[in-house]
Amino acid sequence: MERRSVVIVGAGPGGLTAAMILAQKGFDVTVFEKNAKPGGRNGCLEIDGYKFDIGPTFLMMKFVLDDLFKQVGRNVDDYLPSTRLAPMYRLMFDDISLDVYDHLHHDKMKEQMTRLFPTDAPGLDRFMKREQGRFDKILSCLTTPYDTVASMMGWKILKAMPFMSLGKSLFQVLGEYFPSQSARVAFTFQSKYLGMAPWRCPGFYAMIPFVEHRYGIFHTRGGLSEISEAMAKVAGELGASFRYGTPVERLLLDGRKVTGVRLADGTEVKADVVVVNADFAYAATKLVPPGALRRWSAKALGKKRFSLSTFMLYLGVKKTYDLPHHTIVFAKDYIKNINDIEAGIWPEGNASFYVRNASINDPTLAPSGCSALYVLMPAPNKRAALDWPAMQARLRRYCLDQMKSRLGMSDIEENIVVERCFTPDTWQDDFNVYIGATFNLGHNLGQMLYWRPHNDFEELENMYLVGGGTHPGSGLPTIYESGRISAGMICERYGIEGIPPAPKDAG
Ligand SMILES: Cc1cc2nc3c(=O)[nH]c(=O)nc-3n(C[C@H](O)[C@H](O)[C@H](O)COP(=O)(O)OP(=O)(O)OC[C@H]3O[C@@H](n4cnc5c(N)ncnc54)[C@H](O)[C@@H]3O)c2cc1C
């Protein structure tokens, strides 16, 4: 067989998945990555012996990653030692706090639910049972491409339709199990992983809290950025070549056909197929020549919904804290907090935040006796006219004050030895994320499945999309799926069998 060439723009989780599969299937794969190392938002910051994951800290549905490695002839555990977290996380409301355990520790979870939310506690078993049914039907919809109207009429979708809770929000769907507000928030805040409010997030995303409770949350030793490192290593072993520090400036077009890429240094690289992993809306507005797109033109994108953004602090501190691996602290008025952010207003004095203290389980992230802390506050994306450079110091102050008052970290400030801060500007300017919307194009129904940018990009030939901006959407397991789906379509085009979707874990 003639060896077909594939150029991949970006070595984030989506591009790395495609690189692993296509290299293993015999394609001549070259990955151009603007940064000096792989990972993108799933990369890391290393500063003076402290190591911080930049973005993802929750690895869910690990069986998808395990299977990807298996399909290319590798055992994930040889590359990525990992731990299933118990508890998964601590949730702190104004008056109560709850350590959330997955189903392997059902008794602990049930005991806390009974104590803290007596009227909601019986809902836990119903939630696990009924949501398993929904997950079984919906998962298969997320592992298939939707590139034609006919594909939306397929049996998988039709069978899943009754389980989609169309017209209902996640908040409404889970309210059927958990009527009291705090319990409901405890099982719906996960819509924030998509950068959406639970009351605007489609009900079928009830699968996200379900997969946490059913399949657990994992930490990989050295942080989740190690996943990207391992994926790049495997892709390299399989023959893919990586050109780091090499930004792509433009896609080359011959009519409607993408023929390759032009690098920032002016070099033109031709390829049979181009896979774009850079954030879709960024690529559509910056890498595709102006005027080439209609459905996804800059004007059309200007009318689409995008996710929230985040304000981040990465703090290296010279002590350890008795704080769980993941702690989520809800604002006093959580509903107003999220509504404000979605309306583009900074929720002054009423912000939720998340602290990740992975050093409690992983000594490799900081010098002995020290900790690498990661703090995230949901924030409006850059459609809001907020002056982030002017706000940065104030938001940092707020975070530190909240860590003191709500988490008892009274001496945090005097122990900080290294520090970095990201705002929505950073995501946009340094990570090439359109309007700093960290979780990509919104996940409302009108922008899902057939209505999301297609894996085999509908507006240009020879261009495939991977990553959070295409189908099935944002989040590591779904991004791996986007890579598997697009690589599968490329394989099929050349008469090669792709890899099947991961079988569900029994764990
Ligand atoms: C703060 C934060 C927290 C998150 N937490 C979680 C979590 O806990 N769990 C979870 O599952 N998901 C999480 N996510 C969501 C998602 O999993 C990650 O954002 C993921 O890294 C997105 O992968 P991607 O492949 O779509 O894009 P990216 O990771 O952005 O990769 C795109 C790559 O393209 C490169 N690139 C861009 N432009 C060019 C160019 N012109 N030329 C060459 N290369 C280019 C970039 O440098 C990057 O390496 C989080 C995201 C963020 C931002």
Side-chain angles (χ1 to χ4, degrees):
M1 183 195 89
E2 189 191 339
R3 207 157 169 243
R4 302 289 181 170
S5 57
V6 180
V7 156
I8 301 180
V9 184
L16 292 166
T17 308
M20 285 168 73
I21 298 170
L22 294 171
Q24 200 259 350
K25 296 287 175 187
F27 289 85
D28 177 9
V29 176
T30 308
V31 184
F32 293 104
E33 166 55 55
K34 77 176 184 67
N35 295 339
K37 53 186 181 179
R41 281 169 272 180
N42 182 211
C44 67
L45 295 175
E46 286 180 280
I47 316 160
D48 299 343
Y50 291 88
K51 185 175 176 199
F52 307 93
D53 279 325
I54 291 171
T57 55
F58 282 44
L59 175 61
M60 284 182 281
M61 291 169 69
K62 181 174 170 287
F63 60 87
V64 175
L65 184 69
D66 297 350
D67 190 67
L68 171 64
F69 275 65
K70 189 170 155 211
Q71 292 289 341
V72 299
R74 300 294 192 278
N75 178 353
V76 77
D77 298 329
D78 294 341
Y79 294 81
L80 289 166
S82 63
T83 320
R84 186 166 176 157
L85 298 176
M88 296 193 284
Y89 42 77
R90 176 170 294 166
L91 299 181
M92 297 185 66
F93 296 90
D94 219 14
D95 46 351
I96 53 162
S97 97
L98 166 72
D99 283 349
V100 179
Y101 289 88
D102 69 31
H103 87 115
L104 295 184
H105 303 271
H106 183 73
D107 290 352
K108 285 187 179 163
M109 188 63 193
K110 199 66 192 268
E111 180 279 315
Q112 288 183 93
M113 291 289 291
T114 309
R115 185 163 41 84
L116 299 169
F117 308 113
T119 51
D120 303 84
L124 182 61
D125 292 330
R126 278 191 293 122
F127 164 73
M128 291 304 289
K129 193 157 177 261
R130 268 176 54 192
E131 291 308 321
Q132 179 79 62
R134 183 200 305 272
F135 176 68
D136 291 345
K137 290 285 178 301
I138 285 186
L139 183 64
S140 61
C141 296
L142 299 182
T143 57
T144 320
Y146 293 94
D147 286 19
T148 58
V149 178
S151 61
M152 286 297 294
M153 305 294 166
W155 63 270
K156 279 185 186 167
I157 282 275
L158 295 178
K159 274 171 75 178
M161 206 69 95
F163 295 84
M164 286 195 179
S165 297
L166 294 174
K168 283 190 182 171
S169 72
L170 176 64
F171 212 54
Q172 285 169 318
V173 168
L174 289 206
E176 291 163 16
Y177 307 108
F178 309 111
S180 67
Q181 175 149 323
S182 294
R184 200 188 299 196
V185 168
F187 284 84
T188 57
F189 77 91
Q190 294 85 345
S191 65
K192 298 287 280 306
Y193 305 163
L194 302 174
M196 295 176 92
W199 37 97
R200 270 180 280 279
C201 181
F204 77 77
Y205 283 116
M207 65 176 277
I208 303 181
F210 171 74
V211 295
E212 283 187 353
H213 283 266
R214 179 66 180 81
Y215 301 106
I217 288 177
F218 290 80
H219 173 74
T220 45
R221 191 177 161 87
L224 266 58
S225 65
E226 286 298 317
I227 305 174
S228 287
E229 292 286 348
M231 291 171 81
K233 185 162 191 280
V234 170
E237 290 167 1
L238 294 166
S241 55
F242 285 83
R243 301 268 307 277
Y244 293 112
T246 310
V248 167
E249 186 185 75
R250 268 277 185 270
L251 301 184
L252 299 174
L253 257 61
D254 179 5
R256 311 294 308 155
K257 188 170 167 187
V258 179
T259 57
V261 294
R262 186 168 73 235
L263 306 178
D265 68 4
T267 312
E268 297 201 343
V269 182
K270 297 282 184 180
D272 292 311
V273 174
V274 174
V275 176
V276 176
N277 176 216
D279 173 54
F280 167 72
Y282 153 82
T285 49
K286 301 283 190 218
L287 299 185
V288 175
L293 302 182
R294 293 172 69 148
R295 182 177 177 196
W296 299 106
S297 65
K299 192 169 166 210
L301 283 167
K303 294 183 189 147
K304 299 285 179 193
R305 289 198 198 162
F306 279 82
S307 82
L308 307 177
S309 188
T310 61
F311 174 87
M312 314 287 302
L313 285 179
Y314 305 95
L315 305 173
V317 293
K318 58 178 193 293
K319 68 169 285 189
T320 55
Y321 286 97
D322 184 20
L323 191 71
H325 197 108
H326 301 297
T327 303
I328 294 157
V329 183
F330 294 106
K332 280 194 184 356
D333 186 344
Y334 177 67
I335 293 186
K336 180 170 173 5
N337 167 217
I338 301 305
N339 283 341
D340 278 353
I341 293 173
E342 288 207 337
I345 300 164
W346 179 254
E348 204 64 58
N350 183 48
S352 304
F353 65 102
Y354 154 66
V355 179
R356 190 244 208 162
N357 177 32
S359 297
I360 195 148
N361 288 318
D362 186 343
T364 69
L365 302 173
S368 172
C370 304
S371 325
L373 301 174
Y374 161 128
V375 187
L376 179 157
M377 278 201 291
N381 67 36
K382 281 188 58 69
R383 281 221 175 117
L386 296 173
D387 183 350
W388 291 106
M391 290 168 68
Q392 184 168 323
R394 187 156 52 86
L395 302 194
R396 172 187 183 274
R397 175 81 271 135
Y398 178 82
C399 275
L400 296 177
D401 287 348
Q402 289 291 304
M403 288 166 83
K404 288 179 192 173
S405 64
R406 295 197 65 182
L407 299 178
M409 302 167 92
S410 53
D411 58 357
I412 178 78
E413 240 172 313
E414 66 226 43
N415 283 296
I416 297 173
V417 282
V418 299
E419 177 170 350
R420 289 290 181 278
C421 174
F422 284 10
T423 71
D425 287 344
T426 323
W427 296 117
Q428 176 185 263
D429 301 339
D430 298 353
F431 288 82
N432 288 355
V433 174
Y434 180 82
I435 60 170
T438 38
F439 309 97
N440 307 91
L441 187 68
H443 292 73
N444 45 300
L445 274 181
Q447 298 179 171
M448 288 300 293
L449 304 169
Y450 174 73
W451 299 281
R452 209 161 176 79
H454 297 172
N455 300 80
D456 180 356
F457 186 48
E458 63 268 38
E459 294 218 66
L460 297 171
E461 286 167 49
N462 264 357
M463 172 170 163
Y464 294 80
L465 302 177
V466 293
T470 184
H471 171 72
S474 186
L476 290 174
T478 37
I479 289 171
Y480 301 143
E481 265 311 298
S482 75
R484 190 194 62 76
I485 291 171
S486 295
M489 295 173 102
I490 295 167
C491 288
E492 194 182 331
R493 176 170 153 182
Y494 294 109
I496 302 167
E497 208 177 324
I499 69 169
K504 257 183 295 153
D505 185 1

Short mmCIF file of all heavy atoms in Angstrom, two decimals, residues 216-264:
data_model
loop_
_atom_site.label_atom_id
_atom_site.label_comp_id
_atom_site.label_asym_id
_atom_site.label_seq_id
_atom_site.Cartn_x
_atom_site.Cartn_y
_atom_site.Cartn_z
N GLY A 216 -15.57 5.88 38.77
CA GLY A 216 -14.54 6.50 39.60
C GLY A 216 -13.75 7.60 38.91
O GLY A 216 -13.90 7.87 37.72
N ILE A 217 -12.90 8.22 39.72
CA ILE A 217 -12.02 9.28 39.23
C ILE A 217 -10.58 8.85 39.56
O ILE A 217 -10.31 8.40 40.68
CB ILE A 217 -12.35 10.61 39.93
CG1 ILE A 217 -13.68 11.15 39.40
CG2 ILE A 217 -11.25 11.65 39.70
CD1 ILE A 217 -14.13 12.41 40.06
N PHE A 218 -9.70 9.03 38.60
CA PHE A 218 -8.32 8.55 38.74
C PHE A 218 -7.33 9.70 38.74
O PHE A 218 -7.56 10.76 38.15
CB PHE A 218 -7.99 7.60 37.58
CG PHE A 218 -8.71 6.29 37.67
CD1 PHE A 218 -10.04 6.18 37.27
CD2 PHE A 218 -8.08 5.17 38.19
CE1 PHE A 218 -10.72 4.97 37.37
CE2 PHE A 218 -8.75 3.96 38.30
CZ PHE A 218 -10.07 3.86 37.88
N HIS A 219 -6.22 9.43 39.42
CA HIS A 219 -5.05 10.31 39.34
C HIS A 219 -3.91 9.49 38.75
O HIS A 219 -3.73 8.33 39.11
CB HIS A 219 -4.67 10.80 40.74
CG HIS A 219 -3.38 11.57 40.76
ND1 HIS A 219 -3.28 12.87 40.28
CD2 HIS A 219 -2.12 11.22 41.15
CE1 HIS A 219 -2.04 13.28 40.39
NE2 HIS A 219 -1.30 12.31 40.92
N THR A 220 -3.17 10.10 37.83
CA THR A 220 -1.99 9.39 37.30
C THR A 220 -0.75 9.99 37.95
O THR A 220 -0.65 11.22 38.10
CB THR A 220 -1.91 9.54 35.76
OG1 THR A 220 -2.15 10.90 35.41
CG2 THR A 220 -2.92 8.67 35.06
N ARG A 221 0.15 9.12 38.35
CA ARG A 221 1.35 9.57 39.06
C ARG A 221 2.11 10.58 38.20
O ARG A 221 2.30 10.38 37.01
CB ARG A 221 2.24 8.36 39.36
CG ARG A 221 3.36 8.65 40.32
CD ARG A 221 4.10 7.34 40.58
NE ARG A 221 5.43 7.57 41.11
CZ ARG A 221 5.70 7.72 42.40
NH1 ARG A 221 4.73 7.66 43.28
NH2 ARG A 221 6.93 7.93 42.81
N GLY A 222 2.49 11.70 38.84
CA GLY A 222 3.16 12.77 38.08
C GLY A 222 2.17 13.76 37.50
O GLY A 222 2.56 14.72 36.85
N GLY A 223 0.87 13.51 37.72
CA GLY A 223 -0.16 14.42 37.22
C GLY A 223 -0.76 13.92 35.91
O GLY A 223 -0.20 13.05 35.24
N LEU A 224 -1.90 14.53 35.55
CA LEU A 224 -2.59 14.07 34.34
C LEU A 224 -1.85 14.46 33.05
O LEU A 224 -2.11 13.89 31.99
CB LEU A 224 -4.04 14.57 34.31
CG LEU A 224 -5.07 13.59 34.90
CD1 LEU A 224 -4.76 13.22 36.33
CD2 LEU A 224 -6.47 14.14 34.78
N SER A 225 -0.94 15.41 33.16
CA SER A 225 -0.15 15.75 31.96
C SER A 225 0.70 14.55 31.53
O SER A 225 1.09 14.45 30.36
CB SER A 225 0.76 16.95 32.24
OG SER A 225 1.73 16.60 33.21
N GLU A 226 0.96 13.64 32.48
CA GLU A 226 1.73 12.44 32.13
C GLU A 226 1.00 11.59 31.10
O GLU A 226 1.62 10.82 30.36
CB GLU A 226 2.02 11.60 33.39
CG GLU A 226 3.07 12.20 34.29
CD GLU A 226 4.44 12.31 33.62
OE1 GLU A 226 4.85 11.36 32.94
OE2 GLU A 226 5.08 13.37 33.77
N ILE A 227 -0.32 11.74 31.05
CA ILE A 227 -1.07 10.98 30.03
C ILE A 227 -0.63 11.44 28.65
O ILE A 227 -0.36 10.64 27.76
CB ILE A 227 -2.60 11.16 30.20
CG1 ILE A 227 -3.05 10.79 31.61
CG2 ILE A 227 -3.35 10.34 29.16
CD1 ILE A 227 -4.52 11.10 31.88
N SER A 228 -0.57 12.76 28.49
CA SER A 228 -0.16 13.29 27.17
C SER A 228 1.27 12.88 26.85
O SER A 228 1.59 12.52 25.71
CB SER A 228 -0.28 14.82 27.15
OG SER A 228 -1.64 15.18 27.11
N GLU A 229 2.13 12.94 27.86
CA GLU A 229 3.53 12.53 27.63
C GLU A 229 3.58 11.08 27.17
O GLU A 229 4.30 10.72 26.23
CB GLU A 229 4.35 12.67 28.92
CG GLU A 229 4.57 14.10 29.40
CD GLU A 229 5.61 14.86 28.56
OE1 GLU A 229 6.32 14.23 27.76
OE2 GLU A 229 5.66 16.10 28.71
N ALA A 230 2.79 10.23 27.84
CA ALA A 230 2.80 8.80 27.50
C ALA A 230 2.23 8.57 26.11
O ALA A 230 2.74 7.75 25.34
CB ALA A 230 2.00 8.02 28.54
N MET A 231 1.18 9.31 25.78
CA MET A 231 0.57 9.14 24.45
C MET A 231 1.56 9.56 23.36
O MET A 231 1.69 8.90 22.32
CB MET A 231 -0.72 9.98 24.34
CG MET A 231 -1.83 9.45 25.22
SD MET A 231 -3.25 10.57 25.30
CE MET A 231 -4.09 10.15 23.78
N ALA A 232 2.29 10.66 23.60
CA ALA A 232 3.28 11.11 22.61
C ALA A 232 4.39 10.07 22.48
O ALA A 232 4.88 9.78 21.39
CB ALA A 232 3.84 12.47 23.01
N LYS A 233 4.75 9.48 23.63
CA LYS A 233 5.82 8.47 23.60
C LYS A 233 5.38 7.26 22.76
O LYS A 233 6.12 6.80 21.88
CB LYS A 233 6.12 8.04 25.05
CG LYS A 233 7.27 7.09 25.21
CD LYS A 233 7.74 7.10 26.67
CE LYS A 233 9.05 6.38 26.86
NZ LYS A 233 8.92 4.94 26.93
N VAL A 234 4.16 6.81 23.01
CA VAL A 234 3.66 5.64 22.27
C VAL A 234 3.55 5.97 20.78
O VAL A 234 3.98 5.20 19.92
CB VAL A 234 2.30 5.17 22.83
CG1 VAL A 234 1.67 4.13 21.94
CG2 VAL A 234 2.48 4.63 24.25
N ALA A 235 2.98 7.15 20.47
CA ALA A 235 2.85 7.52 19.04
C ALA A 235 4.23 7.55 18.39
O ALA A 235 4.41 7.08 17.26
CB ALA A 235 2.15 8.88 18.92
N GLY A 236 5.23 8.07 19.12
CA GLY A 236 6.60 8.10 18.59
C GLY A 236 7.15 6.69 18.38
O GLY A 236 7.75 6.39 17.34
N GLU A 237 6.89 5.81 19.35
CA GLU A 237 7.35 4.41 19.20
C GLU A 237 6.72 3.75 17.97
O GLU A 237 7.31 2.89 17.34
CB GLU A 237 6.98 3.60 20.45
CG GLU A 237 7.78 3.98 21.69
CD GLU A 237 7.18 3.40 22.98
OE1 GLU A 237 6.15 2.68 22.92
OE2 GLU A 237 7.72 3.68 24.05
N LEU A 238 5.51 4.20 17.65
CA LEU A 238 4.79 3.60 16.51
C LEU A 238 5.16 4.28 15.18
O LEU A 238 4.62 3.93 14.14
CB LEU A 238 3.27 3.70 16.74
CG LEU A 238 2.74 2.87 17.92
CD1 LEU A 238 1.32 3.28 18.29
CD2 LEU A 238 2.78 1.38 17.58
N GLY A 239 6.00 5.30 15.27
CA GLY A 239 6.51 5.89 14.02
C GLY A 239 6.08 7.32 13.74
O GLY A 239 6.53 7.91 12.75
N ALA A 240 5.22 7.91 14.58
CA ALA A 240 4.82 9.31 14.34
C ALA A 240 6.00 10.22 14.64
O ALA A 240 6.77 9.95 15.57
CB ALA A 240 3.64 9.68 15.23
N SER A 241 6.15 11.30 13.86
CA SER A 241 7.20 12.24 14.24
C SER A 241 6.57 13.53 14.76
O SER A 241 5.51 13.96 14.29
CB SER A 241 8.18 12.50 13.09
OG SER A 241 7.48 12.92 11.98
N PHE A 242 7.23 14.11 15.74
CA PHE A 242 6.71 15.29 16.42
C PHE A 242 7.63 16.46 16.16
O PHE A 242 8.85 16.36 16.36
CB PHE A 242 6.60 15.04 17.93
CG PHE A 242 5.44 14.16 18.28
CD1 PHE A 242 5.55 12.77 18.20
CD2 PHE A 242 4.23 14.70 18.68
CE1 PHE A 242 4.47 11.95 18.50
CE2 PHE A 242 3.14 13.89 18.99
CZ PHE A 242 3.27 12.51 18.90
N ARG A 243 7.05 17.57 15.72
CA ARG A 243 7.83 18.79 15.53
C ARG A 243 7.33 19.82 16.54
O ARG A 243 6.32 20.50 16.33
CB ARG A 243 7.65 19.29 14.09
CG ARG A 243 8.09 18.28 13.01
CD ARG A 243 9.53 18.48 12.61
NE ARG A 243 9.80 19.85 12.21
CZ ARG A 243 9.56 20.35 11.00
NH1 ARG A 243 9.07 19.58 10.04
NH2 ARG A 243 9.85 21.61 10.72
N TYR A 244 8.01 19.87 17.68
CA TYR A 244 7.61 20.80 18.74
C TYR A 244 8.13 22.20 18.43
O TYR A 244 9.06 22.37 17.63
CB TYR A 244 8.13 20.32 20.09
CG TYR A 244 7.47 19.03 20.54
CD1 TYR A 244 8.18 17.83 20.62
CD2 TYR A 244 6.11 19.02 20.85
CE1 TYR A 244 7.56 16.66 21.01
CE2 TYR A 244 5.48 17.84 21.25
CZ TYR A 244 6.21 16.66 21.32
OH TYR A 244 5.59 15.50 21.71
N GLY A 245 7.53 23.19 19.08
CA GLY A 245 7.96 24.58 18.86
C GLY A 245 7.74 25.00 17.41
O GLY A 245 8.47 25.84 16.89
N THR A 246 6.73 24.40 16.76
CA THR A 246 6.51 24.64 15.33
C THR A 246 5.05 25.00 15.07
O THR A 246 4.23 24.13 14.74
CB THR A 246 6.89 23.37 14.53
OG1 THR A 246 8.18 22.93 14.95
CG2 THR A 246 6.92 23.64 13.04
N PRO A 247 4.69 26.28 15.24
CA PRO A 247 3.30 26.64 15.01
C PRO A 247 2.91 26.56 13.54
O PRO A 247 3.72 26.88 12.67
CB PRO A 247 3.22 28.11 15.48
CG PRO A 247 4.55 28.48 15.99
CD PRO A 247 5.53 27.40 15.67
N VAL A 248 1.69 26.12 13.31
CA VAL A 248 1.11 26.17 11.97
C VAL A 248 0.46 27.54 11.82
O VAL A 248 -0.23 28.01 12.73
CB VAL A 248 0.07 25.04 11.80
CG1 VAL A 248 -0.78 25.24 10.55
CG2 VAL A 248 0.78 23.69 11.77
N GLU A 249 0.68 28.16 10.66
CA GLU A 249 0.14 29.51 10.48
C GLU A 249 -1.14 29.50 9.64
O GLU A 249 -2.03 30.30 9.85
CB GLU A 249 1.22 30.34 9.77
CG GLU A 249 0.92 31.80 9.61
CD GLU A 249 2.02 32.44 8.80
OE1 GLU A 249 2.05 32.25 7.57
OE2 GLU A 249 2.86 33.11 9.40
N ARG A 250 -1.24 28.58 8.70
CA ARG A 250 -2.37 28.54 7.77
C ARG A 250 -2.57 27.12 7.25
O ARG A 250 -1.60 26.36 7.13
CB ARG A 250 -2.06 29.37 6.51
CG ARG A 250 -2.49 30.80 6.57
CD ARG A 250 -3.98 30.94 6.19
NE ARG A 250 -4.34 32.34 6.14
CZ ARG A 250 -4.80 33.04 7.19
NH1 ARG A 250 -4.97 32.47 8.35
NH2 ARG A 250 -5.10 34.32 7.07
N LEU A 251 -3.80 26.78 6.93
CA LEU A 251 -4.05 25.56 6.17
C LEU A 251 -3.92 25.93 4.70
O LEU A 251 -4.36 27.01 4.28
CB LEU A 251 -5.45 25.04 6.46
CG LEU A 251 -5.76 24.70 7.92
CD1 LEU A 251 -7.15 24.11 8.03
CD2 LEU A 251 -4.73 23.72 8.48
N LEU A 252 -3.33 25.04 3.91
CA LEU A 252 -3.19 25.30 2.47
C LEU A 252 -4.41 24.74 1.77
O LEU A 252 -4.80 23.59 2.02
CB LEU A 252 -1.93 24.63 1.94
CG LEU A 252 -0.61 25.10 2.56
CD1 LEU A 252 0.55 24.25 2.03
CD2 LEU A 252 -0.36 26.58 2.26
N LEU A 253 -5.01 25.55 0.90
CA LEU A 253 -6.22 25.13 0.20
C LEU A 253 -6.02 25.14 -1.30
O LEU A 253 -5.40 26.06 -1.84
CB LEU A 253 -7.37 26.10 0.52
CG LEU A 253 -8.42 25.63 1.54
CD1 LEU A 253 -7.80 25.35 2.88
CD2 LEU A 253 -9.50 26.69 1.68
N ASP A 254 -6.56 24.10 -1.93
CA ASP A 254 -6.66 24.12 -3.39
C ASP A 254 -8.17 24.01 -3.66
O ASP A 254 -8.73 22.92 -3.56
CB ASP A 254 -5.89 22.92 -3.97
CG ASP A 254 -5.99 22.88 -5.48
OD1 ASP A 254 -6.56 23.81 -6.08
OD2 ASP A 254 -5.49 21.88 -6.06
N GLY A 255 -8.81 25.14 -3.90
CA GLY A 255 -10.27 25.15 -3.94
C GLY A 255 -10.81 24.83 -2.56
O GLY A 255 -10.45 25.47 -1.59
N ARG A 256 -11.66 23.75 -2.47
CA ARG A 256 -12.22 23.37 -1.16
C ARG A 256 -11.39 22.28 -0.49
O ARG A 256 -11.79 21.71 0.52
CB ARG A 256 -13.66 22.82 -1.32
CG ARG A 256 -14.61 23.63 -2.15
CD ARG A 256 -14.97 24.97 -1.56
NE ARG A 256 -15.43 24.94 -0.20
CZ ARG A 256 -15.32 25.99 0.64
NH1 ARG A 256 -14.73 27.10 0.25
NH2 ARG A 256 -15.78 25.92 1.87
N LYS A 257 -10.27 21.96 -1.13
CA LYS A 257 -9.50 20.81 -0.63
C LYS A 257 -8.29 21.30 0.19
O LYS A 257 -7.52 22.14 -0.30
CB LYS A 257 -9.01 20.02 -1.84
CG LYS A 257 -8.37 18.73 -1.53
CD LYS A 257 -8.18 17.95 -2.83
CE LYS A 257 -7.25 16.78 -2.60
NZ LYS A 257 -6.91 16.12 -3.83
N VAL A 258 -8.14 20.77 1.39
CA VAL A 258 -6.96 21.11 2.20
C VAL A 258 -5.81 20.23 1.73
O VAL A 258 -5.93 19.00 1.69
CB VAL A 258 -7.25 20.89 3.71
CG1 VAL A 258 -6.02 21.21 4.54
CG2 VAL A 258 -8.42 21.75 4.15
N THR A 259 -4.72 20.86 1.36
CA THR A 259 -3.60 20.10 0.78
C THR A 259 -2.39 20.03 1.70
O THR A 259 -1.42 19.36 1.40
CB THR A 259 -3.16 20.73 -0.56
OG1 THR A 259 -2.81 22.09 -0.30
CG2 THR A 259 -4.26 20.67 -1.60
N GLY A 260 -2.42 20.77 2.80
CA GLY A 260 -1.29 20.75 3.72
C GLY A 260 -1.34 21.97 4.62
O GLY A 260 -2.41 22.57 4.81
N VAL A 261 -0.19 22.30 5.17
CA VAL A 261 -0.13 23.45 6.10
C VAL A 261 1.08 24.32 5.77
O VAL A 261 2.08 23.84 5.24
CB VAL A 261 -0.02 22.98 7.58
CG1 VAL A 261 -1.27 22.25 8.01
CG2 VAL A 261 1.22 22.11 7.81
N ARG A 262 0.92 25.60 6.10
CA ARG A 262 2.10 26.48 6.05
C ARG A 262 2.52 26.77 7.49
O ARG A 262 1.70 27.19 8.31
CB ARG A 262 1.78 27.78 5.31
CG ARG A 262 3.06 28.63 5.14
CD ARG A 262 2.88 29.79 4.18
NE ARG A 262 2.08 30.83 4.76
CZ ARG A 262 0.98 31.35 4.23
NH1 ARG A 262 0.52 30.90 3.07
NH2 ARG A 262 0.31 32.29 4.83
N LEU A 263 3.79 26.55 7.78
CA LEU A 263 4.30 26.77 9.14
C LEU A 263 4.61 28.25 9.32
O LEU A 263 4.73 29.01 8.34
CB LEU A 263 5.55 25.93 9.36
CG LEU A 263 5.40 24.43 9.07
CD1 LEU A 263 6.72 23.70 9.28
CD2 LEU A 263 4.30 23.82 9.94
N ALA A 264 4.80 28.64 10.57
CA ALA A 264 5.06 30.06 10.86
C ALA A 264 6.34 30.55 10.19
O ALA A 264 6.47 31.73 9.88
CB ALA A 264 5.12 30.26 12.37
#
